[in-house]
Amino acid sequence: MMDWKKVLINRVLKGVLLFMIPIILLIFVFEKAIHIVQQIISPIKEILPDERIFGIGVLTLISLFTILLICYVFGFLAERKRIKLFLKVLDEGFSLIIPGYTMMKSRANEAIGVEEKHWNAVLMGEDGDWKIGIEVNKRTDGLSMVFFPEPPDAKAGELKLIHQSKLKPLDMPISKIMTIIRKYGKDMDELV
């Protein structure tokens, strides 16, 4: 009897966290951005027609188009070498200041389909024992920097420099590894 209630509550909470909150935040941010852009381009308001297109005012459509154009320009600039270098420095700064930033960024990238190519899920084997880890840096000298997350939140753990011969790569996203660790090893049979 309690199981279906837990499932129901779990699904509702997931819906709120993974769907409602991001949609509401996106609408809020776009609304604020449109308001700011409308104030900037308000001098041309007098020459715009009063007609609505699909129920939306022309000034709002121009504002929305301006925001999308600005996003495109910044996306284009983000592909430039100097900007990438600046973003990398900024990213490293955030990872030092904000606990768990790198892990959250990795999970966000997985959610939108961008893989962290330099991070790999691995198992480290010693004396017949295996330990779940995340290879964060593969060096040319045969050593790898591996982060071993620990329960309950998988944001804390230990970092070790290990020879690559002791590592077994896993064909599994980092987010799945983190979920298994947060569940204290439940669903571990998928790894072995």
Side-chain angles (χ1 to χ4, degrees):
M1 195 78 160
M2 286 298 278
D3 287 337
W4 71 267
K5 289 179 183 177
K6 285 182 181 179
V7 169
L8 180 70
I9 291 170
N10 191 17
R11 286 183 182 162
V12 169
L13 288 175
K14 281 182 182 177
V16 168
L17 292 173
L18 299 175
F19 178 73
M20 291 299 293
I21 291 176
I23 294 292
I24 290 169
L25 286 174
L26 190 63
I27 291 170
F28 178 76
V29 168
F30 261 101
E31 185 180 313
K32 291 296 180 187
I34 287 172
H35 181 70
I36 291 168
V37 172
Q38 281 180 344
Q39 287 180 341
I40 293 171
I41 63 173
S42 64
I44 67 165
K45 184 178 183 178
E46 304 302 324
I47 61 172
L48 295 175
D50 290 334
E51 299 155 3
R52 293 182 157 310
I53 301 170
F54 300 113
I56 302 171
V58 176
L59 184 65
T60 303
L61 283 175
I62 292 173
S63 300
L64 187 59
F65 178 75
T66 304
I67 291 167
L68 292 174
L69 183 65
I70 290 168
C71 290
Y72 174 80
V73 168
F74 277 104
F76 176 76
L77 290 174
E79 295 173 354
R80 299 286 157 242
K81 193 172 188 174
R82 283 186 177 167
I83 301 296
K84 279 185 179 180
L85 183 63
F86 172 74
L87 290 175
K88 184 178 178 184
V89 169
L90 192 65
D91 199 41
E92 289 173 1
F94 280 145
S95 66
L96 291 174
I97 297 170
I98 302 170
Y101 169 79
T102 307
M103 203 64 66
M104 289 184 290
K105 180 182 171 226
S106 175
R107 294 198 68 192
N109 284 341
E110 284 179 15
I112 61 172
V114 177
E115 290 184 29
E116 290 278 348
K117 292 184 174 40
H118 58 280
W119 281 26
N120 299 310
V122 294
L123 283 175
M124 181 189 74
E126 283 185 329
D127 302 326
D129 294 334
W130 294 94
K131 190 171 184 177
I132 304 172
I134 300 167
E135 184 181 43
V136 293
N137 187 11
K138 194 176 218 176
R139 299 172 20 154
T140 56
D141 62 357
L143 296 172
S144 286
M145 187 62 69
V146 181
F147 174 67
F148 295 100
E150 295 177 358
D153 64 3
K155 291 178 185 167
E158 62 180 327
L159 199 57
K160 287 187 175 185
L161 196 58
I162 299 170
H163 198 273
Q164 292 163 7
S165 63
K166 292 183 177 182
L167 301 176
K168 177 184 176 186
L170 296 172
D171 186 25
M172 186 175 285
I174 303 300
S175 59
K176 183 68 176 170
I177 297 293
M178 302 306 277
T179 302
I180 289 170
I181 290 168
R182 277 197 300 276
K183 291 180 176 180
Y184 293 93
K186 187 177 179 209
D187 301 329
M188 180 73 169
D189 54 328
E190 294 179 31
L191 293 177
V192 187

